[in-house]
Amino acid sequence: MMQETFQTISPEEAKKMMDEMSVTILDVREVMEFSSGHISGAQNLPVGSVRRLASSALPDLDATILVYCLSGMRSATACTILTELGYTKVYDFGGIASWPFEIEY
């Protein structure tokens, strides 16, 4: 069986998905970074704890999960881990540094 992989999408595509469907927005930066500004509705799960905490934080393996970090490096790592854990609809939209829409504090 081929390993599922995640898809990389643009911030604009992510925003459209957020507006049109039920998604889980996952911020994989550290807690201090998250509290300094994040996308509305995002759940904070630092990349270092994704493998350990994903099953309790994200119980639905078939949920649509949109992942971001600061620049796009940690989000790609987190997406790889999530797909290894069996999540089926994982999307990496890079870093909040290139997010052209509102953020909240």
Side-chain angles (χ1 to χ4, degrees):
M1 192 177 109
M2 205 180 102
Q3 177 67 44
E4 281 295 313
T5 56
F6 62 91
Q7 283 181 270
T8 302
I9 59 173
S10 69
E12 291 75 16
E13 288 171 297
K15 177 76 166 93
K16 188 174 193 310
M17 290 170 76
M18 290 172 197
D19 291 345
E20 294 177 1
M21 57 194 282
S22 172
V23 298
T24 298
I25 307 164
L26 195 63
D27 183 322
V28 296
R29 298 174 301 155
E30 296 303 312
V31 175
M32 286 298 296
E33 293 174 281
F34 181 79
S35 60
S36 71
H38 55 271
I39 294 168
S40 180
Q43 187 176 337
N44 186 214
L45 185 62
V47 68
S49 55
V50 168
R51 194 175 300 279
R52 192 175 74 250
L53 299 177
S55 60
S56 56
L58 308 161
D60 182 358
L61 291 175
D62 296 316
T64 299
I65 304 173
L66 307 179
V67 185
Y68 75 96
C69 59
L70 179 63
S71 66
M73 294 295 291
R74 287 175 284 180
S75 59
T77 300
C79 287
T80 299
I81 294 167
L82 290 170
T83 55
E84 286 171 1
L85 293 173
Y87 292 87
T88 59
K89 298 179 188 139
V90 180
Y91 298 87
D92 178 0
F93 67 99
I96 197 168
S98 57
W99 180 251
F101 308 103
E102 270 182 48
I103 60 172
E104 62 182 36
Y105 300 94

